[in-house]
Structure formats: structure tokens, C-alpha cells
Amino acid sequence: MNEAIVNFIIWAFLATVTTLILLHLSKRDEKKKTLIPAMLVILTMGYLMGYAVSNGNLPLAFSVFLVGGIMLNLYYASMKRRGYVLEDERTLRIEEISARRTLQVFMIGLAFAVIYLSVAQQRNPALRDAFILAESLLVFLFFTHLAFKIYYSRVM
């Protein structure tokens, strides 16, 4: 019980400091004030997921993840209805480019891991499962990317 109190105090401290920092920054930029509820939801999610994981409670961890995601989605939807512009064409384009580069870097890194593990698993058979996992992830990412590319080329 003592550990739960200490963890709650740490969470409350982080939530307070984050709120104060965002309030200070919002003096110059009103848009930053809209981030306060979202940051509090994210900090609460982190606290509750940490609690769930440390206790081995998988259903609670997934529930916290789902409920937090729904809450964030509803909050941003309400902000959009109020007229706050949270994203425009420029930010969407930046997101597209960064997502593409992230995918490229991840797939290249995964390809190097597959190459390394394909050789290393011959000397150490315990690495076979890691090789199969990395290879499966690479193939899955490739085909998922290809499927979305075909889909959006038809839709757009």
C-alpha cells in the first residue's frame, strides 16, 4: 500500500508540473492550453498501465489503453467542433513524410536484422525464433504497405 501512495504522489507531481509548464507556455500560444487535458489523460494512462503491467493484469492494461485512446479521440473531436485547428494541410503533409521515412528506416533496419539473424542462427540455433519473428515482421510490413499503396491509388 505504501508503494501505491508513493506512485500516486509521483503521478500527481508530474501532472502538476506538466500542467504548470503548459500554462506558462500558453501565455504566448493559446493553442498549448488545449494540450493540458490531453497530457493529463496520457499521464494517467501511463500511471494506470504501469500499475497494471507491474501487477501482471493484462486485461486492465488493454482496457486502459482502449479507454484512453477513446477519450483522446473524443476530446480532439470536440476541440475540432469548437473551431480549434489542430492540423492543417502543412501538418498533414509533414505527418505523411515523417511516416513514410519512419517506415523506410524501420524496414531497412529490420532487413539488416534479418540478414544478421539468418547467419547468426546457423551458429546459435536459439536465435531461430528471433529470425522467424524478424522475417515475418518484415514480410508483413512489406505486404501491408503494398496493400495500402494499391488501395489508395484506386481511391484517390
Side-chain angles (χ1 to χ4, degrees):
M1 188 64 169
N2 202 10
E3 182 181 343
I5 294 171
V6 171
N7 288 338
F8 179 76
I9 291 171
I10 292 171
W11 171 83
F13 174 75
L14 288 174
T16 305
V17 168
T18 303
T19 303
L20 291 174
I21 289 171
L22 288 174
L23 280 173
H24 177 70
L25 292 175
S26 69
K27 291 178 183 175
R28 291 175 276 184
D29 186 7
E30 188 66 27
K31 185 179 176 182
K32 295 224 186 310
K33 201 177 279 189
T34 63
L35 296 176
I36 293 172
M39 288 301 298
L40 291 175
V41 168
I42 291 169
L43 285 172
T44 305
M45 284 175 61
Y47 172 74
L48 292 174
M49 287 180 75
Y51 171 77
V53 169
S54 67
N55 289 330
N57 193 341
L58 191 60
L60 178 62
F62 279 121
S63 299
V64 167
F65 182 73
L66 289 173
V67 169
I70 290 169
M71 287 177 64
L72 287 172
N73 192 14
L74 290 174
Y75 175 70
Y76 284 126
S78 72
M79 295 306 293
K80 199 172 186 179
R81 280 192 306 269
R82 290 184 196 164
Y84 283 93
V85 177
L86 300 173
E87 58 187 17
D88 56 7
E89 291 82 17
R90 181 178 180 270
T91 58
L92 288 175
R93 183 69 178 136
I94 290 170
E95 284 289 325
E96 289 172 2
I97 293 170
S98 66
R100 181 183 171 103
R101 293 293 179 246
T102 302
L103 181 64
Q104 289 170 341
V105 168
F106 187 73
M107 286 182 73
I108 289 171
L110 204 51
F112 276 111
V114 167
I115 293 168
Y116 169 76
L117 289 170
S118 68
V119 173
Q121 62 123 3
Q122 293 174 358
R123 284 183 260 141
N124 185 359
L127 293 175
R128 181 165 169 73
D129 291 338
F131 168 70
I132 291 171
L133 176 65
E135 187 177 41
S136 301
L137 281 173
L138 184 61
V139 169
F140 174 76
L141 279 174
F142 175 75
F143 282 115
T144 304
H145 178 69
L146 185 63
F148 279 128
K149 196 172 182 178
I150 291 169
Y151 171 76
Y152 284 114
S153 69
R154 290 180 183 173
V155 171
M156 298 178 106

